[in-house]
Amino acid sequence: QFPEEIQKQLDEYRKTQLTNSDYSWTSYRDCPFVNKTLVNEYMTIGEAGWYHKMYQIMMSISANAIKRGYPITSDEVESLVRELDRETGGWYKSRPVKLEAQRAIDFALRRVTT
């Protein structure tokens, strides 16, 4: 564990190392970073656990992108998650998904090795 200021500098350095922009997609269905198994699990949730699974999906997208050297943004993660949410009931219309997506990316930056 480093002091917060040093950790922020390390995070910024890691971000500069993510330079592989050879990926494109049109929706969460064809995004190479979306774990289809997690999406299927999300779609079969009954009563509870929706948000926990959605955050797992955000974490997975972030980690998969970072593993491949792709500089994923919180806007991209938010867009993918909101698209999935629109198809499954629109539960998170008022949630700060972009902020939560950034937290997932920050966490993945600190945990995932490329």
Side-chain angles (χ1 to χ4, degrees):
Q1 280 291 33
F2 294 106
E4 188 62 26
E5 188 57 37
I6 292 174
Q7 187 61 58
K8 286 179 183 179
Q9 291 174 358
L10 289 170
D11 292 347
E12 288 304 313
Y13 173 76
R14 290 274 328 266
K15 288 177 189 177
T16 67
Q17 303 303 300
L18 302 174
T19 58
N20 184 358
S21 57
D22 295 336
Y23 293 95
S24 63
W25 58 89
T26 58
S27 78
Y28 77 87
R29 286 183 168 77
D30 67 343
C31 178
F33 311 125
V34 174
N35 181 314
K36 306 313 186 254
T37 301
L38 290 178
V39 169
N40 288 336
E41 290 172 4
Y42 180 81
M43 290 183 170
T44 62
I45 293 173
E47 295 286 322
W50 291 84
Y51 184 72
H52 177 74
K53 187 59 70 177
M54 184 62 82
Y55 195 73
Q56 278 186 321
I57 291 169
M58 285 190 269
M59 287 294 306
S60 176
I61 291 168
S62 301
N64 286 333
I66 291 167
K67 283 178 190 173
R68 293 177 173 107
Y70 181 80
I72 194 133
T73 66
S74 57
D75 287 331
E76 291 170 317
V77 175
E78 178 187 29
S79 176
L80 292 164
V81 167
R82 289 218 183 265
E83 179 187 3
L84 176 59
D85 182 51
R86 277 191 304 276
E87 290 186 8
T88 56
W91 303 101
Y92 305 115
K93 291 176 186 170
S94 62
R95 260 197 106 94
V97 174
K98 185 175 181 177
L99 174 64
E100 294 162 348
Q102 187 58 56
R103 289 179 181 154
I105 292 168
D106 291 343
F107 184 83
L109 273 170
R110 294 178 182 191
R111 301 291 190 267
V112 173
T113 58
T114 54

